[in-house]
Amino acid sequence: MTYEELEVNTEIAIKEKSHEEQRTHKTVRYTVIKKYPGMCIVMDKRGRRRGIAIGELIMNKIITQEPYFESLRNEHIKASKGWHKKDSGVAGECAP
């Protein structure tokens, strides 16, 4: 689903880092209440509202990018896999 397909009153789950525990994440359920071009406003069950950027929605795998950008991303992932030759020696040193 892309951002354009995300509708108001849709329930989403976002992973958030808790302030009390340092390395744990908790999942919070939100309802989309308003959409803007670069972000959406969501509300939790207690009525607290916050803005979530499109990038955060992509990182939480709620939405995907447009198909063109997804294909570019997949090409980059395919190109970066595999064996890469590492530099020999330390930077700044000359080989004999």
Side-chain angles (χ1 to χ4, degrees):
M1 155 175 37
T2 62
Y3 185 69
E4 289 79 25
E5 296 168 350
L6 182 67
E7 295 183 7
V8 176
N9 294 327
T10 303
E11 295 231 351
I12 59 174
I14 302 287
K15 287 184 182 179
E16 292 183 347
K17 187 173 182 181
S18 178
H19 294 291
E20 295 84 32
E21 303 97 27
Q22 289 187 350
R23 292 188 182 163
T24 60
H25 294 281
K26 65 178 184 176
T27 303
V28 181
R29 296 188 93 34
Y30 290 103
T31 304
V32 177
I33 57 173
K34 187 82 174 174
K35 284 178 55 177
Y36 294 101
M39 63 178 292
C40 63
I41 304 295
V42 295
M43 183 172 59
D44 67 359
K45 63 182 178 181
R46 294 183 180 179
R48 292 180 292 209
R49 296 178 181 199
R50 74 174 270 221
I52 298 181
I54 292 176
E56 189 173 349
L57 294 172
I58 292 170
M59 288 178 13
N60 281 290
K61 298 182 180 173
I62 295 168
I63 63 171
T64 58
Q65 297 177 352
E66 294 177 15
Y68 172 74
F69 296 115
E70 281 294 317
S71 65
L72 286 177
R73 181 173 172 255
N74 291 336
E75 286 177 15
H76 175 71
I77 290 171
K78 288 178 185 176
S80 66
K81 288 185 179 178
W83 182 80
H84 294 286
K85 185 177 181 181
K86 294 185 177 181
D87 293 336
S88 60
V90 179
E93 291 184 6
C94 295

